[in-house]
Amino acid sequence: MNIITNTSTRFWLWLLVLLFSALPVWCRRSQSPVSVQTTHSRSGKDGQSLSNNGNNNLLAQSLFFGGASRSLAQAVLYPVDAMRTLAQTRDGRTLADLGTKTLTKGCLTTSSFALFQGAVQFGIFGACRGHVGPVIASALGAAGSCIVSVPQEVIKQRLVTGVYSSFRNAVKTIYQNEGILGFYSSWKPTMTRNVPFVIITFTTQDLLKRKRLKNKTISQEDGGVEQKQQQLSFGENIAIGVSSALLAGVVTNPVDVVKTRMMTQAASNAVPYSSA
């Protein structure tokens, strides 16, 4: 039986991808802002210095935790994502065609890109959040991170589909044949997928959180319990995060298929697409 074309298997693989895709968002939302307090005895210059240090610490945290969470999520889920890539190719390649080694082919090298991708994305988010709000800041972060994520996706998906034998061979061949722009093939569908995915995930997550907190407050009032500030449990946060990513994945999946087929069409015998 073809384990990739099996409908049930593909559904669970997709769900796992969405689960780990939400991990960087959870890490970002869980970061508490750095508070910088100054006393009246300090001069304005000292207070300004402390404020700048606090902002620098917050930016450093965003870069570190964003990059680390993105890299960890991709490395852990790499085999599942590889099977998703195979399922989206034009000729429906399987593990029987390429062997099980393709599930980890290029995992360490391409996951290192995710470290920089996450750092760029969450760095932009942290710098812009206070000026334009979390939703627009997330969209800007997703768009800016495409500078790193598009070359990563091109190399990763071509390694998985067997276009190139190794990371070094992929980089060398793409540069020789296509130049720098070759690493940014299909950047339009990639950005078209990434930005809406982040916006939908954020807005849905915020809506579900507000709804759940409101229901918990109403239940507490009906039960005659003294009202206090409500908080979501770890399980509720997980459920809301996965639900938000699931909706975003359903909406953006058609564009994701276009992106994958544009990036991996060299592995197919079909007539190449001229554009997205």
Side-chain angles (χ1 to χ4, degrees):
M1 181 179 65
N2 185 341
I3 63 173
I4 294 182
T5 57
N6 179 274
T7 304
S8 177
T9 301
R10 292 175 67 177
F11 171 78
W12 287 110
L13 292 176
W14 188 42
L15 188 59
L16 283 172
V17 171
L18 293 174
L19 174 62
F20 278 86
S21 295
L23 176 61
V25 177
W26 301 333
C27 291
R28 173 174 52 197
R29 295 299 290 269
S30 64
Q31 293 176 26
S32 58
V34 177
S35 60
V36 181
Q37 299 180 347
T38 60
T39 62
H40 294 292
S41 61
R42 292 186 178 274
S43 65
K45 185 175 181 180
D46 290 339
Q48 181 67 31
S49 177
L50 285 174
S51 178
N52 290 336
N53 289 336
N55 291 334
N56 291 336
N57 289 337
L58 180 58
L59 178 59
Q61 288 181 20
S62 297
L63 293 174
F64 175 77
F65 287 111
S69 61
R70 175 73 67 180
S71 184
L72 176 62
Q74 178 168 311
V76 171
L77 204 63
Y78 194 89
V80 179
D81 192 51
M83 295 180 71
R84 179 176 64 91
T85 297
L86 293 177
Q88 291 180 346
T89 56
R90 296 180 70 180
D91 51 4
R93 294 198 167 196
T94 68
L95 293 181
D97 300 324
L98 301 172
T100 56
K101 289 184 178 180
T102 194
L103 294 179
T104 57
K105 195 173 183 180
C107 177
L108 294 179
T109 48
T110 57
S111 293
S112 65
F113 275 72
L115 181 64
F116 299 103
Q117 177 191 350
V120 171
Q121 180 175 348
F122 296 121
I124 294 175
F125 172 82
C128 298
R129 176 175 53 183
H131 303 285
V132 296
V135 175
I136 297 179
S138 296
L140 293 174
S145 66
C146 286
I147 295 175
V148 180
S149 66
V150 175
Q152 175 206 29
E153 284 290 306
V154 170
I155 296 172
K156 179 183 69 175
Q157 295 197 349
R158 291 185 184 181
L159 285 173
V160 168
T161 52
V163 177
Y164 303 116
S165 59
S166 65
F167 177 83
R168 182 178 180 180
N169 176 248
V171 173
K172 181 179 179 181
T173 305
I174 293 174
Y175 181 75
Q176 287 181 342
N177 296 340
E178 305 174 56
I180 295 295
L181 293 180
F183 294 100
Y184 290 91
S185 62
S186 307
W187 68 269
K188 290 182 180 179
T190 302
M191 187 174 292
T192 304
R193 179 203 64 173
N194 289 358
V195 174
F197 183 92
V198 170
I199 293 176
I200 294 171
T201 300
F202 246 91
T203 53
T204 305
Q205 187 179 41
D206 187 63
L207 177 64
L208 293 177
K209 279 188 174 183
R210 290 175 182 270
K211 181 70 173 177
R212 180 55 183 158
L213 288 173
K214 181 179 179 180
N215 290 339
K216 293 181 75 170
T217 302
I218 293 175
S219 298
Q220 189 178 64
E221 292 175 348
D222 292 341
V225 181
E226 182 181 356
Q227 188 174 356
K228 59 182 180 180
Q229 185 176 4
Q230 296 293 326
Q231 292 184 344
L232 297 178
S233 66
F234 177 76
E236 288 173 329
N237 277 307
I238 292 291
I240 289 174
V242 172
S243 300
S244 304
L246 179 61
L247 176 62
V250 169
V251 174
T252 59
N253 188 63
V255 183
D256 188 50
V257 173
V258 173
K259 173 193 71 69
T260 299
R261 294 194 174 186
M262 288 291 294
M263 288 182 176
T264 62
Q265 60 182 333
S268 174
N269 294 324
V271 177
Y273 299 114
S274 59
S275 66

